[in-house]
Amino acid sequence: MKNKRTIRDIADELQLSITTVSLVLNGKAREKRISQEVIERVQKFVREVDYRPNHFARSLRNGKSQIIAFMAEDISNPFFSSIARRIEDRANNSGYKIVYCSTENDPEKARELIRAFKDRSVDAYIITPTEGIEEELKELVAGEVPLMLFDRYFSGLDTGYVVIENEKSTYEAIRHLVDQGYSSIGFVTLDSVQSQMQGRLNGYVKAVTEAGLPEQVLRVPYGSPETSIVDAIRNFLQDNRQLDSLFFSSNYLGAGGLKAIRSLKLSIPEDIGVVAFDDSEIFRMYTPDITSVTQPVEEISLRLVDSILYQLKHEGQQVDTGKYKIALPARLVVRGSSVKNK
Amino acid sequence: MKNKRTIRDIADELQLSITTVSLVLNGKAREKRISQEVIERVQKFVREVDYRPNHFARSLRNGKSQIIAFMAEDISNPFFSSIARRIEDRANNSGYKIVYCSTENDPEKARELIRAFKDRSVDAYIITPTEGIEEELKELVAGEVPLMLFDRYFSGLDTGYVVIENEKSTYEAIRHLVDQGYSSIGFVTLDSVQSQMQGRLNGYVKAVTEAGLPEQVLRVPYGSPETSIVDAIRNFLQDNRQLDSLFFSSNYLGAGGLKAIRSLKLSIPEDIGVVAFDDSEIFRMYTPDITSVTQPVEEISLRLVDSILYQLKHEGQQVDTGKYKIALPARLVVRGSSVKNK
DNA sequence: AAAGCAAGCTAAAACGTTTTAGCGGATTTA
DNA sequence: TAAATCCGCTAAAACGTTTTAGCTTGCTTT
């Protein structure tokens, strides 16, 4: 049971050369003109003894690890973990395993992780990039390693990515608030220059400008603990009594915002309308339920992994990178938190 | 930049043998009596050129992958993803990477995954076992691969594990309901013989029996989609009008239960008291907030990864397996959903 | 002066694959 | 009849480590 059989054992037992066995195993038998009889003999035997090739030896020889790295900002965030969940299956089906890690949006940590993955020659990368790791990404691209960014990207870098139409969907969400009669709309975002946050801000600015409303933006420092987020939002509301609605540009800002609103005993949607970017179970269960810009998690995952697998399959062949620059539409799911007159 | 240097190159450039360089690199120089001067020369040079050993070659030679497999039931469930998050850091710090996968509680899938991991010689396993994979686990144990189960375990198998004191903590939760004056307490669980579910059921039975109350149990089929869960719970409530409180034995049963309760327009905690096993953001944010048996996620993770790392470090040495059979206490967090008289 | 020993290093095997280059012999071509 | 081609297979190199066994050299011992 435990005495691992090697390809050499197989060859000996079948009175064949290692080469022949290897060729059959790798499906190159026909092309190398091994006879049908031998092919079948090998296949049958290999099946019988349940021979399993040694991954290390194979990897050493061909430089491939059959591993894909999944670098999220935080794997315990439902947005990332549900993508992780979906990526997993398709990757497994194609013989790849996934190693994950969380950057915590720390460039230093991200760099180290990429380094470690390089050392292990992972075959491909799926990354939510932190600010400041352009150099490392550039090196990956130069090394022709399949790479997809998601959630955000660097416009200056020629990498594949899957993102959301942030500007457009935020614009529509704000329009929705305007249509509902809200006229003093606050925008709560992170103090970050990342592309997805910029896009959302742009959508907001565009919509309020068009509607002739003032811009009222709160920037919470990146990486704040939840209590600080709640405090910041509470202060924002207290300092700006005229606010009649808030847009939260991420799911955890939304969760913090709800706590802040509750602690001020404001009622939703009468005193304050609410829309959040990124759906979550909390928003669906909250009373009232929260209107949100819902990202197509399923499709994001699909596009990511399919792009990666395609690149892996056609490695070396220079493929059109434009094909991998994907912006998906998000859906505005209107719920009770933003509908005044019922 | 991209011309990877090998240990042979280092040796040549330093006019030394491969062996010597390798010994220095692996910290065996002293013991093999390499001179201090040579040691330093090697170390200095290696640092300068930033030599990175080839993992594949090393693995091929010593059979170690420096990879730990993390098999959850579903990585997108917050309970599992937050454990994943915490395990990751400590593992990385010790030079291990983590591959994850979700069994979906499908034994066939679990078996295949274990098989794939075996092929890749992962160095250790952290697993939420599905029913019916005792054989595979037994083989791992026999192969002396470090292994820890969590969330549940098999009492018939001599493996390490980290679980919760399910019976005790459920008992206390039910006692709490009794103390609050609830006298018709329903228990919503999964149709499963897994140890954690058995434990919770036992705790419930013990508490209601002691209090002289009837047992009223709903078993939802494992793997039901959320809508069926909601329906089942709604029917349970309608068929048993006398029920004045419910205990949900998992977080997603709790979420489903809240929806059912809401759809029946019952109010918590007046019409129906609620306690759930396993905390979640939803329970904290719900109105009223939901009393829950909170698992010590941080400590679970810590114990898992520390046990694994310890076993990895002392491989070969027969260690006391009893040491790795860990049952941690859970904390009853009392919130509004189970407190009648305020 | 021969033997023994330690210090300081190294040659080479082994890990298990994939793949290149090529070998005999039979058949076809010129 | 000699040369070229094809068929079916294989020897051996290469991938980059770790580690066992052992080789010099010079010093100490008897």
Side-chain angles (χ1 to χ4, degrees):
Chain A
M1 169 71 254
K2 247 318 49 160
N3 54 352
K4 281 300 283 175
R5 220 178 286 252
T6 72
I7 199 173
R8 152 148 277 128
D9 300 331
I10 306 278
D12 288 352
E13 294 176 72
L14 287 173
Q15 307 266 55
L16 288 169
S17 77
I18 292 184
T19 310
T20 306
V21 177
S22 175
L23 289 174
V24 173
L25 256 30
N26 293 292
K28 307 205 174 153
R30 285 251 70 98
E31 130 197 12
K32 294 287 179 176
R33 293 169 315 213
I34 305 298
S35 69
Q36 192 58 37
E37 182 262 329
V38 169
I39 293 182
E40 279 163 17
R41 206 147 55 86
V42 172
Q43 288 178 335
K44 178 152 175 285
F45 187 74
V46 157
R47 226 178 301 119
E48 275 172 15
V49 303
D50 189 31
Y51 161 73
R52 333 230 81 207
N54 179 309
H55 262 266
F56 299 143
R58 184 176 285 186
S59 293
L60 175 57
R61 178 59 223 236
N62 64 22
K64 299 292 162 209
S65 58
Q66 299 285 105
I67 288 180
I68 298 172
F70 179 72
M71 300 179 60
E73 179 173 330
D74 174 3
I75 194 74
S76 69
N77 179 316
F79 174 65
F80 293 111
S81 67
S82 51
I83 290 184
R85 175 71 194 81
R86 291 179 164 87
I87 282 181
E88 179 198 337
D89 277 333
R90 289 178 94 82
N92 282 350
N93 286 341
S94 300
Y96 289 91
K97 292 286 164 215
I98 303 210
V99 301
Y100 72 86
C101 63
S102 308
T103 64
E104 287 176 277
N105 217 52
D106 173 352
E108 202 41 60
K109 195 171 174 203
R111 269 189 281 268
E112 257 176 46
L113 286 164
I114 292 182
R115 200 158 198 265
F117 288 139
K118 266 186 169 176
D119 284 352
R120 288 158 181 268
S121 311
V122 305
D123 294 346
Y125 295 78
I126 298 177
I127 303 181
T128 41
T130 69
E131 299 167 33
I133 59 160
E134 289 89 340
E135 272 317 308
E136 282 71 18
L137 295 181
K138 215 177 282 179
E139 274 177 29
L140 290 181
V141 172
E144 311 216 324
V145 193
L147 163 66
M148 291 291 287
L149 306 184
F150 75 105
D151 194 48
R152 47 197 106 140
Y153 68 104
F154 295 116
S155 51
L157 274 186
D158 187 23
T159 70
Y161 56 76
V162 175
V163 296
I164 294 300
E165 293 174 354
N166 287 291
E167 177 167 340
K168 178 157 171 276
S169 48
T170 305
Y171 173 82
E172 284 165 7
I174 302 294
R175 286 281 328 169
H176 159 74
L177 283 172
V178 172
D179 291 346
Q180 288 295 318
Y182 292 103
S183 60
S184 183
I185 307 173
F187 186 83
V188 180
T189 187
L190 293 174
D191 181 13
S192 151
V193 299
Q194 291 174 357
S195 65
Q196 84 283 22
M197 290 304 168
Q198 279 308 315
R200 294 170 201 178
L201 181 59
N202 293 345
Y204 164 79
V205 169
K206 188 175 163 207
V208 291
T209 305
E210 269 186 27
L213 302 177
E215 290 177 29
Q216 301 175 87
V217 177
L218 169 64
R219 290 166 209 274
V220 179
Y222 215 135
S224 305
E226 192 182 37
T227 53
S228 327
I229 294 179
V230 175
D231 288 348
I233 297 173
R234 190 170 37 223
N235 291 338
F236 184 55
L237 282 167
Q238 286 181 311
D239 297 348
N240 300 274
R241 298 292 175 122
Q242 75 285 359
L243 285 169
D244 62 10
S245 54
L246 286 181
F247 180 95
F248 298 104
S249 66
S250 89
N251 55 7
Y252 58 94
L253 289 175
L258 293 178
K259 289 183 187 164
I261 290 170
R262 189 191 297 191
S263 80
L264 291 173
K265 309 239 189 277
L266 295 173
S267 65
I268 304 175
E270 294 79 11
D271 300 333
I272 190 108
V274 168
V275 177
F277 204 102
D278 212 355
D279 206 0
S280 92
E281 182 94 34
I282 302 171
F283 297 157
R284 265 168 272 144
M285 306 269 314
Y286 203 76
T287 312
D289 48 356
I290 307 298
T291 297
S292 77
V293 178
T294 303
Q295 303 199 45
V297 172
E298 181 80 36
E299 185 160 13
I300 293 174
S301 316
L302 217 81
R303 296 299 201 98
L304 281 175
V305 71
D306 284 359
S307 302
I308 286 289
L309 289 176
Y310 186 88
Q311 291 179 57
L312 283 168
K313 194 183 269 176
H314 301 85
E315 201 141 38
Q317 305 165 33
Q318 201 53 33
V319 266
D320 176 20
T321 77
K323 199 163 142 187
Y324 304 122
K325 298 186 195 299
I326 301 168
L328 300 173
R331 217 171 82 245
L332 180 69
V333 178
V334 176
R335 302 202 183 97
S337 71
S338 64
V339 180
K340 265 186 186 168
N341 35 354
K342 182 60 179 295
Chain B
M1 167 70 255
K2 249 311 58 156
N3 55 351
K4 281 301 280 175
R5 219 177 288 250
T6 74
I7 198 173
R8 153 147 276 129
D9 300 331
I10 306 278
D12 288 352
E13 295 175 73
L14 287 173
Q15 307 267 54
L16 289 169
S17 77
I18 292 184
T19 309
T20 306
V21 177
S22 175
L23 289 174
V24 173
L25 256 29
N26 293 292
K28 308 204 173 154
R30 285 250 68 99
E31 127 197 15
K32 295 286 178 176
R33 293 170 316 213
I34 305 298
S35 69
Q36 193 57 37
E37 181 262 329
V38 168
I39 295 182
E40 278 163 17
R41 205 147 55 85
V42 172
Q43 288 177 335
K44 177 151 175 285
F45 188 73
V46 156
R47 224 178 303 119
E48 276 173 14
V49 303
D50 189 30
Y51 161 73
R52 330 231 84 206
N54 179 310
H55 263 265
F56 298 143
R58 182 177 288 188
S59 294
L60 175 58
R61 179 58 223 235
N62 64 19
K64 300 292 164 211
S65 59
Q66 300 285 106
I67 288 180
I68 299 173
F70 178 71
M71 299 179 59
E73 178 174 330
D74 174 2
I75 193 75
S76 70
N77 179 316
F79 174 65
F80 293 111
S81 67
S82 51
I83 290 184
R85 175 70 194 82
R86 290 179 165 88
I87 282 181
E88 179 200 336
D89 277 334
R90 289 177 95 82
N92 283 350
N93 285 341
S94 300
Y96 289 90
K97 291 287 164 213
I98 302 210
V99 301
Y100 71 87
C101 63
S102 308
T103 64
E104 287 174 276
N105 218 53
D106 173 352
E108 202 42 60
K109 196 173 174 202
R111 270 189 281 268
E112 257 175 46
L113 287 165
I114 291 182
R115 199 158 200 266
F117 288 140
K118 267 186 169 176
D119 284 352
R120 287 158 182 269
S121 311
V122 303
D123 293 346
Y125 295 78
I126 298 177
I127 302 182
T128 41
T130 69
E131 298 167 33
I133 60 160
E134 289 88 341
E135 272 317 309
E136 283 71 20
L137 295 181
K138 216 176 283 179
E139 273 177 31
L140 290 182
V141 173
E144 311 216 321
V145 194
L147 163 66
M148 291 292 286
L149 306 183
F150 74 106
D151 194 48
R152 45 198 107 139
Y153 68 105
F154 295 115
S155 50
L157 275 186
D158 187 23
T159 69
Y161 56 76
V162 176
V163 296
I164 293 300
E165 294 174 354
N166 287 291
E167 178 167 339
K168 177 157 173 278
S169 48
T170 306
Y171 173 83
E172 284 165 8
I174 302 294
R175 287 280 330 166
H176 160 74
L177 284 172
V178 173
D179 290 347
Q180 289 294 317
Y182 292 102
S183 60
S184 183
I185 306 172
F187 186 81
V188 180
T189 186
L190 294 174
D191 181 14
S192 151
V193 299
Q194 291 173 356
S195 65
Q196 84 283 22
M197 290 304 167
Q198 280 307 316
R200 293 170 201 179
L201 181 58
N202 293 344
Y204 165 77
V205 170
K206 187 174 166 210
V208 290
T209 304
E210 270 185 26
L213 302 177
E215 290 176 29
Q216 302 176 86
V217 176
L218 170 64
R219 288 166 210 274
V220 179
Y222 215 137
S224 305
E226 193 184 34
T227 54
S228 328
I229 294 178
V230 175
D231 289 347
I233 296 173
R234 190 169 37 220
N235 292 337
F236 184 56
L237 281 167
Q238 284 181 312
D239 297 347
N240 300 276
R241 298 292 175 123
Q242 75 286 358
L243 286 169
D244 63 10
S245 54
L246 287 180
F247 180 94
F248 299 103
S249 65
S250 88
N251 55 6
Y252 57 94
L253 289 175
L258 293 179
K259 288 184 189 165
I261 290 170
R262 188 191 300 190
S263 79
L264 290 172
K265 309 238 189 281
L266 296 173
S267 65
I268 305 173
E270 294 80 11
D271 301 331
I272 191 107
V274 168
V275 177
F277 203 101
D278 211 357
D279 205 1
S280 91
E281 182 95 35
I282 301 171
F283 297 157
R284 264 168 272 143
M285 306 270 313
Y286 203 77
T287 313
D289 48 357
I290 308 297
T291 297
S292 77
V293 178
T294 303
Q295 304 199 45
V297 172
E298 181 79 35
E299 187 161 12
I300 294 175
S301 316
L302 217 80
R303 295 299 200 99
L304 282 175
V305 71
D306 283 358
S307 302
I308 285 289
L309 290 176
Y310 187 87
Q311 291 180 56
L312 282 168
K313 195 183 268 176
H314 300 85
E315 203 141 37
Q317 305 165 34
Q318 202 52 34
V319 266
D320 175 20
T321 78
K323 198 163 142 187
Y324 304 121
K325 299 188 195 298
I326 301 168
L328 300 173
R331 217 172 81 245
L332 181 68
V333 178
V334 176
R335 302 202 183 99
S337 71
S338 63
V339 180
K340 265 186 187 167
N341 34 354
K342 183 58 179 297

